[in-house]
Structure formats: structure tokens, C-alpha cells
Amino acid sequence: MNNMNRPLILIAEDLESNFLFLKIVLQKKYRIIWAKDGKEAVEMFEEYSPSLVLMDIRMPVIDGIEATKFIREINPDVPIIAQTANAFASDQDKAKDAGCNIIIVKPIKARTLTEAIERFEPL
């Protein structure tokens, strides 16, 4: 499959080390773009129309909850997978209420990530 035929995933993640892990896990099967904060995530979503969004919840400028709400106004159907270091049910409920389809808790395991994304295939 050539590069342009692979689905595009927007990774919204402010920590470079976390982004690099996600990129390594996903880059063989997907094209990747990186937003370093929630505002950038919304702007890149509008510009590139990715097939799926991996949304960190705690980010600068606009957090992942607010960014998810903005993206849902643009596209109510795109799969959004929240990534959070917070395992509290109340935080996970906020992410679901904002429009996240799945919440995965950090530290993320490669298999957990790929299984979550594969639930939405074909992208």
C-alpha cells in the first residue's frame, strides 16, 4: 500500500516522548500528523480531515476535552480515542461526554492502542 493510500491519524499530544512512541507503533500502517496542543489539533483537523484522532486529555492552550468538542462540531462521526494518565471514572466520563469514542489509560501498551484503532476499521 503506498503512503497516500494509508489512513491519516492526527495525534494530539504535547509530550514528544509520548508522540514518538505512538508514531513508532502506528507509522507502518498509517500516515501520522502531530498537534502539540488542543488548539493546533482543531486547526490541523480542519485542514487535513484525518480518519481518526488520538487525543491527549491534558494539553496546553486548549485541553483535549475542549478540542474534542470543537472537532465534534466539525465532524460528529470521526473516531476520537482519548489518551489519559487519569484512571478516574469521572475523567473518563468527561471524555465520553465530550465525544470521545474510546478512552485508553496511560501508560499505553502498543496492543491496546492498535486494538482500539482496529475497532474503527476500515478507516
Side-chain angles (χ1 to χ4, degrees):
M1 180 184 303
N2 83 32
N3 192 37
M4 292 311 295
N5 290 339
R6 292 185 293 161
L8 181 65
I9 293 180
L10 168 60
I11 299 175
E13 171 62 66
D14 60 320
L15 297 177
E16 185 175 11
S17 58
N18 290 346
F19 166 74
L20 291 173
F21 167 75
L22 298 168
K23 180 181 176 186
I24 288 166
V25 172
L26 300 174
Q27 68 185 352
K28 283 187 170 60
K29 193 170 180 181
Y30 306 100
R31 291 179 296 136
I32 304 296
I33 53 175
W34 180 24
K36 297 174 187 78
D37 62 55
K39 181 177 185 289
E40 199 172 86
V42 174
E43 291 167 353
M44 291 178 83
F45 185 86
E46 288 180 304
E47 184 174 347
Y48 296 101
S49 299
S51 301
L52 183 137
V53 179
L54 275 174
M55 181 69 72
D56 186 20
I57 297 301
R58 298 235 168 126
M59 288 188 296
V61 188
I62 299 175
D63 69 23
I65 299 292
E66 291 305 309
T68 296
K69 290 177 182 175
F70 285 122
I71 288 171
R72 282 286 171 238
E73 289 176 15
I74 300 163
N75 182 333
D77 301 318
V78 67
I80 301 176
I81 299 174
Q83 336 158 46
T84 181
N86 230 327
F88 294 115
S90 60
D91 291 327
Q92 294 185 24
D93 289 343
K94 286 180 193 167
K96 287 257 191 215
D97 291 345
C100 293
N101 300 91
I102 297 175
I103 292 92
I104 53 180
V105 179
K106 294 177 180 179
I108 296 169
K109 293 179 178 65
R111 183 178 181 144
T112 303
L113 176 63
T114 55
E115 286 174 353
I117 292 171
E118 286 169 358
R119 288 176 53 183
F120 299 102
E121 290 189 342
L123 291 178

